[in-house]
Amino acid sequence: MRAGAAALAAAAGEAPGGAEAALSSLWAELPEPLVLHALSYLPPALQAWTAKLVCKAARERFRGATAVSLRCPELPLAAVQEAWRAVQGDGWQQRGLANARAACGDVAGLAWLRGAGCRTASVVRPAARAGHLAVLEWARGERLGLRDVCRGAAEGGQIAVVEWARSQRPPLPWDNFVCLCAARRGNLEMLRWARAQDRPAPWHWTACTAAAERGDLDVLRWLALECFLAPRAVADAAASASSSAQQQQQQQQQQQPAGGGGGARDMSASLSLANIRSSLIRQEDSIIFTLIERAQFARNAAVYEPGGVQVPAYGRDGTRLSLLEYLLRETEALHGKVRRYTSPDEHAFFPDDLPPLVLPPLEYPGVLAPAAGGININATILATYVDAILPEISAPGDDGNYGSAGTLDVLALQALSKRIHYGKFVAEAKFRARPEEYTALIRAQDGAGLMALLTDVAVERTVVERVRLKAATFGRDIHPGAAPLDGGASGGGAAALASASLDGGGFKIAPSALAAMYETVVMPLTKEVQVAYLLRRLD
């Protein structure tokens, strides 16, 4: 019996045609109960996938056994190839498939996916997080970017990967995130190694807070001695950790429905999709108005290049910040003091640099799962804004209006960040509406399945069209003799705008450009946040 199971398992690792032929041959020779029993010896994540290659009876028998997890280390290449065919044309799901195989150390699968045209640029971080040096060596040979290796390794506590990264020539970059993650995990070995190097890893006082939150006196004491912290600083870190723990406890208590009571409340407390959509529609207005204002200035590339403008600010790795990064960090420092970033729908671009509050914290309803606080894709939003959005809305060239352009960029990025991260509330509302379906996909860690369940094509088309019409209305140059926007005998302004060409003259910014930005950037990133939140919803 075990020999038959082993033969089936070996057949599943061949190419699709070979696996199917081998299984068909075995099925022809074995009684049906014997084949079903043999299939039960396969790893659970492979039973459902392999059974469908055998026969109808086997497929029905294992239909409810388990979903095929793309994070299964034993997943054969044929299953990876089948998954690739299912995500053709969907860049987000392609990236998710590649990341899942990287987290399993599947070099052969990644090589095949890259050869087939799959997007593999983001596989480095999950591979480093899981400690798969073979994948990192492959990525280096493929000339993939390795900037996130140290961050991913720190998240996973993989000191061997950090050592490998720093042994490269030149060493791969690291920042204070390494020490912060090590302190969060209580990984004193990594902390000692990182700080003992010729060019030690940068550190930040938030590492002390992380150690205090864990109650890890050994790490806290070591940090105090290594980083020459005054006793007052250690006490402040402990107090900050205590305050954070109390806030988390209060949020957990508020998970249960309560009657009246004080504390701050916002739209996130009401998780009906109607209320959430109302908030999202208002956020559209902020984004459109800000981008229309930004479009009046030239591209001004110097604003976004480190050293393009000599600002008095440096990153954790010692490199000078760009003017935009400087404006973002300074704005967040000011807003952070008055508790902007304590709100669950606000996310800082420089969260590690936020100062202490000068106002007492507010109590927000704990409507999201605890994992929500760890989801922040502002780095992606910033890169996408500079590389993809700005070239579409601003004229090329340099008009010298660096300050005006930069301050409007900050407003635009804050509005985009809020809109995209609001996907957490959307995901929570959808989860509560259909908990059984979402729970099954979450337990299987099926990101592609979650994406399919979340997606509503009709609603997305409505949003894109609404943005197009808003952009045409808000960005229209008004002059004597222009057609009225409030309708009239001709049948209504919206209909007139919908039937007109929205790429001609008379607009401060092409409405089609803003609509395309929503369709290709805002909504995909929002769904990325939703899937990331749901995958950790049950943590």
Side-chain angles (χ1 to χ4, degrees):
M1 177 59 63
R2 292 186 181 277
L8 282 167
E14 300 174 0
E20 191 167 358
L23 289 168
S24 299
S25 175
L26 285 170
W27 168 245
E29 297 173 5
L30 296 175
E32 179 178 319
L34 195 59
V35 173
L36 295 178
H37 188 69
L39 283 169
S40 69
Y41 281 88
L42 289 170
L46 297 183
Q47 290 174 1
W49 181 82
T50 308
K52 70 180 181 180
L53 301 177
V54 180
C55 62
K56 183 176 180 181
R59 183 168 63 250
E60 292 299 322
R61 164 67 178 79
F62 287 92
R63 181 184 297 276
T66 180
V68 178
S69 172
L70 297 177
R71 294 183 179 272
C72 172
E74 301 93 349
L75 199 65
L77 180 59
V80 176
Q81 293 168 335
E82 182 177 334
W84 164 250
R85 289 191 290 270
V87 299
Q88 288 292 319
D90 190 325
W92 189 93
Q93 293 194 51
Q94 289 178 20
R95 187 166 65 248
L97 170 61
N99 289 352
R101 301 316 300 155
C104 299
D106 184 5
V107 176
L110 287 171
W112 186 91
L113 287 170
R114 184 165 174 80
C118 183
R119 301 179 180 181
T120 55
S122 61
V123 301
V124 167
R125 191 159 183 165
R129 188 183 299 120
H132 294 302
L133 285 173
V135 173
L136 297 177
E137 291 282 6
W138 170 82
R140 185 177 63 172
E142 294 292 320
R143 298 183 180 276
L144 299 181
L146 300 177
R147 292 186 59 84
D148 282 342
V149 169
C150 287
R151 282 185 161 236
E155 289 171 336
Q158 305 290 346
I159 188 171
V161 175
V162 179
E163 292 177 358
W164 176 86
R166 297 300 294 175
S167 68
Q168 304 303 302
R169 292 294 176 266
L172 300 183
W174 59 2
D175 56 19
N176 63 297
F177 191 76
V178 173
C179 289
L180 176 60
C181 283
R184 283 175 177 168
R185 300 176 64 92
N187 194 336
L188 190 53
E189 179 186 5
M190 181 178 287
L191 275 172
R192 284 173 171 160
W193 184 88
R195 293 292 296 172
Q197 302 309 298
D198 292 338
R199 299 185 63 182
W203 81 284
H204 192 259
W205 62 268
T206 50
C208 296
T209 304
E213 287 175 347
R214 285 177 47 87
D216 196 327
L217 294 180
D218 289 338
V219 171
L220 191 58
R221 186 182 299 111
W222 184 87
L223 284 169
L225 294 174
E226 166 66 19
C227 303
F228 306 105
L229 290 179
R232 176 67 181 175
V234 178
D236 287 345
S240 175
S242 175
S243 175
S244 176
Q246 290 175 1
Q247 291 178 23
Q248 290 179 4
Q249 184 178 7
Q250 291 171 356
Q251 289 177 357
Q252 291 171 358
Q253 293 172 350
Q254 292 167 354
Q255 291 285 346
Q256 299 297 327
R265 299 186 64 83
D266 65 358
M267 286 296 294
S268 64
S270 179
L271 282 178
S272 73
L273 285 176
N275 284 338
I276 290 174
R277 283 173 181 155
S278 175
S279 178
L280 293 177
I281 289 172
R282 290 196 304 274
Q283 292 175 41
E284 288 171 9
D285 298 346
S286 299
I287 293 171
I288 293 170
F289 275 121
T290 306
L291 291 179
I292 288 173
E293 284 295 297
R294 175 59 183 87
Q296 67 183 296
F297 301 109
R299 175 77 169 82
N300 293 327
V303 174
Y304 316 101
E305 298 171 354
V309 177
Q310 299 298 308
V311 296
Y314 297 85
R316 299 295 175 188
D317 58 356
T319 59
R320 191 184 293 270
L321 297 181
S322 68
L323 176 59
L324 175 58
E325 291 170 326
Y326 172 69
L327 290 172
L328 265 174
R329 194 173 74 172
E330 294 300 306
T331 302
E332 289 180 348
L334 177 61
H335 292 183
K337 291 179 180 179
V338 291
R339 62 192 176 205
R340 174 173 185 167
Y341 298 104
T342 64
S343 174
D345 59 355
E346 294 283 359
H347 298 73
F349 285 81
F350 292 89
D352 292 339
D353 294 333
L354 293 178
L357 295 175
V358 298
L359 296 176
L362 297 176
E363 297 178 6
Y364 289 88
V367 297
L368 297 177
I375 299 171
N376 185 330
I377 66 166
N378 274 340
T380 300
I381 294 172
L382 177 58
T384 304
Y385 177 79
V386 173
D387 297 337
I389 296 178
L390 273 177
E392 294 298 322
I393 67 168
S394 59
D398 189 318
D399 59 14
N401 290 302
Y402 296 166
S404 298
T407 52
L408 288 170
D409 289 328
V410 170
L411 294 175
L413 284 166
Q414 289 174 333
L416 286 167
S417 174
K418 183 172 183 176
R419 168 61 176 81
I420 290 167
H421 287 101
Y422 218 80
K424 298 178 191 179
F425 296 102
V426 178
E428 180 65 25
K430 291 184 177 181
F431 175 87
R432 295 189 184 189
R434 302 165 72 178
E436 294 83 5
E437 296 175 72
Y438 279 104
T439 297
L441 293 170
I442 293 168
R443 294 198 185 283
Q445 289 293 284
D446 186 354
L450 288 170
M451 178 63 72
L453 189 56
L454 285 167
T455 300
D456 188 329
V457 175
V459 170
E460 291 181 3
R461 288 174 180 167
T462 300
V463 171
V464 172
E465 180 61 16
R466 186 174 62 236
V467 169
R468 189 178 74 97
L469 293 176
K470 283 183 177 181
T473 303
F474 301 160
R476 194 179 189 215
D477 285 327
I478 306 300
H479 54 82
L485 297 180
D486 58 351
S490 61
L497 284 171
S499 62
S501 171
L502 298 186
D503 291 312
F507 296 104
K508 300 182 179 72
I509 186 172
S512 60
L514 287 181
M517 179 268 296
Y518 241 78
E519 185 174 15
T520 62
V521 175
V522 174
M523 290 194 293
L525 288 179
T526 302
K527 290 194 288 185
E528 181 175 333
V529 168
Q530 292 180 42
V531 172
Y533 172 78
L534 288 170
L535 287 173
R536 299 176 59 186
R537 172 61 176 76
L538 303 180
D539 288 0

